Amino acid sequence: MKMPWEILVVDDEEVMRESLAAWLREDGFVVDTAAAGAEAVAKARAKDYAIYFVDLKMPGGMDGIETMMEIRKLHAEAAIIIITAYATVDTAITAMKEGAQEYIVKPCNPSEISLLVNRIIKVKNLQRENIILRKKLTRHYSFHDIISKHPRMLDLFALIRDIASLRSTVLIHGESGTGKELIARAIHYSGHRAERPFIGVSCAALAETLLESELFGHEKGAFTGAVAQKKGKFELAEGGTIFLDEIGDISPKLQMDLLRVLQERSFYRVGGSDEIHVDVRVIAASHVDLQEAVQRGTFRDDLFYRLNVINIHIPPLRERREDIPLLARHFVERLSHELGKEVDDLTEGALRVLLDYEWPGNVRELENAVERAMVTCRARVLTEEDFAFLNHNKPERRGWVPPANMSLEEVEKQVIVATLQRTQGNIKEAAATLGIDRSTLYDRIKKYNIPR
């Protein structure tokens, strides 16, 4: 059963206020009234009315235009109709400029009011149906929490279904924030290993010795602090999948150890002498091009070929812009539940801002931007003003032309310095933004004597 649309009538003249409310109630609407601007804003803060009738001239320090502007801050998509007994061209222009949907002159005609309101409600019903359809569309283009309608991503969904039940290793390549772990989880939970563990390990987060113990476990007394035997991630993932994120960052020794696991399907705990056999599917991911790392000599070629049996590349968000509205609305729907905040949609202006942004942090950055906008917004619809913070980065990311006498090396140095400033010295994030690995970035920092 559909809930009836609600209307607020704001007028200091009691006869006019109650007459208008009575006409609207006869048409089946739920109607509240307010005798002053401040009272109207308080009611708008407590409830989201579909339509507001607001008298232009009211005593009490807040006239109709000011009242309308305050309501507009709370409900960007509300239909506001200014009513007045003192119509002038200037007031009409001001009202429409500030966001009034209609401007009508007293005395009001009940038939005209009925026609006007039903016309607005018809449009709102269409908007409501569009929201429902968009949600259905999002579900249609959703695959294990991965949202996309881009042809390359739809091909990727099909590939995941094809390879889900195989044992072959998978190498996922994509920029930071593109959703490499989501792809790995989708592969795991689409296949026959879904009932077994999925264990993820961030190889970039741990030093070599800690990562070795984390992956393979250790025996009691194997090193200082090893007070008890500990199983590693490979043992814990028995029968399931282990996801090795940022595999390009592991040391040459660990590359050798991992190669042995892939070849022999067995390993030794740190400090142990018993060989442990495992049945684990390995999915690895990297934001750097491992083939280039092989050519540079920083990654073993035999390990690369063992990992690269099935190769998946996730395109960055800037190459699939049609996904931006789909993803943004998906995040609005999900975060409205998680944050306990009633936000229904984004305005066309807000979507234009999102579509115009480069998204160096990809889907993760888009999700964070939507969450930030939802935390600070006060209306039920996100507007372009809610995403004003994105505009601060635009001049740095596009349109810069180096001076004519600047060398290529100086250009590279300036780009690295700007990126390090933007990431506040975070080497991992800066390397991901620049599309190079961390060792290369360290080399450039040393080469150009860039202070950190």
Side-chain angles (χ1 to χ4, degrees):
M1 178 180 174
K2 286 185 178 179
M3 296 294 291
W5 293 100
E6 297 187 73
I7 299 174
L8 182 64
V9 177
V10 189
D11 198 317
D12 61 304
E13 291 183 53
E14 183 178 0
V15 173
M16 181 64 200
R17 183 173 69 242
E18 295 304 326
S19 297
L20 185 51
W23 297 338
L24 293 166
R25 289 186 182 114
E26 286 180 6
D27 280 350
F29 297 105
V30 174
V31 185
D32 283 342
T33 60
E39 182 186 358
V41 173
K43 289 191 172 184
R45 188 168 287 117
K47 187 182 289 185
D48 183 14
Y49 296 93
I51 302 174
Y52 295 80
F53 282 88
V54 181
D55 188 24
L56 184 62
K57 289 194 174 182
M58 291 184 290
M62 186 181 287
D63 65 15
I65 298 296
E66 292 168 323
T67 302
M68 177 180 68
M69 292 170 70
E70 289 301 311
I71 292 172
R72 183 67 72 207
K73 290 179 185 175
L74 297 170
H75 307 292
E77 297 297 294
I80 301 177
I81 301 165
I82 293 293
I83 52 177
T84 182
Y86 310 97
T88 66
V89 172
D90 287 344
T91 57
I93 291 173
T94 302
M96 303 306 283
K97 185 178 177 182
E98 295 298 336
Q101 187 153 344
E102 296 286 344
Y103 180 90
I104 59 178
V105 181
K106 297 177 183 178
C108 302
N109 182 305
S111 299
E112 291 179 2
I113 292 293
S114 182
L115 285 172
L116 172 60
V117 169
N118 281 291
R119 176 161 54 84
I120 292 172
I121 292 300
K122 187 176 180 180
V123 172
K124 285 189 170 294
N125 276 325
L126 287 173
Q127 291 172 339
R128 180 183 279 179
E129 289 172 8
N130 281 340
I131 290 173
I132 294 171
L133 287 172
R134 279 200 295 266
K135 288 179 178 177
K136 289 181 178 177
L137 194 65
T138 300
R139 286 194 287 273
H140 179 71
Y141 290 117
S142 176
F143 183 82
H144 287 273
D145 287 334
I146 309 165
I147 311 294
S148 180
K149 60 179 180 179
H150 189 279
R152 287 165 64 187
M153 292 298 288
L154 297 180
D155 289 344
L156 198 157
F157 294 169
L159 176 63
I160 290 172
R161 293 188 185 94
D162 291 341
I163 66 173
S165 292
L166 304 179
R167 189 186 182 185
S168 310
T169 54
V170 180
L171 181 59
I172 304 171
H173 177 251
E175 295 179 6
S176 294
T178 48
K180 295 186 285 294
E181 182 166 347
L182 279 178
I183 295 292
R185 288 181 179 276
I187 294 169
H188 173 76
Y189 288 107
S190 298
H192 68 271
R193 295 175 183 264
E195 300 300 320
R196 303 298 298 165
F198 173 92
I199 293 184
V201 181
S202 176
C203 298
L206 298 171
E208 178 184 306
T209 52
L210 287 176
L211 182 58
E212 183 181 19
S213 172
E214 192 74 7
L215 291 175
F216 307 120
H218 61 250
E219 297 292 344
K220 181 180 178 181
F223 50 82
T224 303
V227 296
Q229 184 194 73
K230 176 188 173 184
K231 289 185 177 180
K233 299 297 187 186
F234 271 98
E235 281 186 83
L236 296 175
E238 173 61 29
T241 301
I242 188 166
F243 172 59
L244 303 175
D245 196 14
E246 302 303 353
I247 190 75
D249 289 340
I250 65 172
S251 67
K253 179 183 181 305
L254 278 178
Q255 290 180 33
M256 185 65 224
D257 293 341
L258 185 57
L259 178 64
R260 184 177 188 282
V261 176
L262 292 174
Q263 288 175 334
E264 309 295 334
R265 297 285 168 183
S266 65
F267 60 91
Y268 295 90
R269 294 192 191 114
V270 177
S273 56
D274 295 331
E275 188 174 17
I276 299 169
H277 294 268
V278 288
D279 171 24
V280 174
R281 183 175 198 178
V282 175
I283 300 178
S286 174
H287 70 275
V288 299
D289 189 331
L290 288 185
Q291 200 155 20
E292 287 184 4
V294 169
Q295 292 170 355
R296 289 196 305 272
T298 58
F299 200 82
R300 295 181 64 100
D301 57 351
D302 43 7
L303 177 58
F304 171 72
Y305 293 121
R306 282 281 180 181
L307 293 170
N308 196 39
V309 177
I310 299 169
N311 184 283
I312 288 177
H313 173 69
I314 309 175
L317 190 55
R318 62 181 175 278
E319 292 181 9
R320 47 187 179 105
R321 292 191 174 276
E322 61 266 56
D323 286 346
I324 292 174
L326 202 66
L327 285 161
R329 287 186 165 117
H330 168 71
F331 294 140
V332 166
E333 182 182 359
R334 180 166 61 75
L335 290 169
S336 65
H337 295 294
E338 293 178 7
L339 299 175
K341 196 162 184 177
E342 293 184 344
V343 177
D344 300 323
D345 204 357
L346 304 95
T347 64
E348 291 302 317
L351 289 175
R352 279 196 300 275
V353 172
L354 300 184
L355 287 165
D356 192 41
Y357 189 67
E358 291 298 318
W359 301 110
N362 291 292
V363 180
R364 186 185 300 136
E365 186 182 10
L366 173 60
E367 182 178 10
N368 292 341
V370 172
E371 181 172 354
R372 175 174 169 176
M374 289 182 67
V375 167
T376 57
C377 81
R378 299 181 64 186
R380 294 192 61 154
V381 179
L382 297 179
T383 67
E384 56 188 299
E385 286 77 17
D386 293 316
F387 292 99
F389 58 89
L390 291 175
N391 292 324
H392 299 315
N393 293 328
K394 279 187 178 177
E396 297 178 18
R397 289 180 173 150
R398 53 172 63 179
W400 179 70
V401 178
N405 59 349
M406 184 177 279
S407 69
L408 182 59
E409 288 192 337
E410 185 61 26
V411 170
E412 185 179 54
K413 178 182 177 181
Q414 294 296 327
V415 170
I416 292 172
V417 169
T419 305
L420 286 169
Q421 288 173 344
R422 194 159 56 238
T423 61
Q424 298 181 326
N426 187 315
I427 294 294
K428 182 180 178 183
E429 188 180 347
T433 302
L434 293 167
I436 58 178
D437 60 30
R438 288 189 292 178
S439 61
T440 303
L441 180 54
Y442 279 122
D443 289 341
R444 297 292 192 280
I445 290 171
K446 185 177 179 181
K447 175 182 177 182
Y448 297 130
N449 195 26
I450 297 172
R452 295 178 55 202

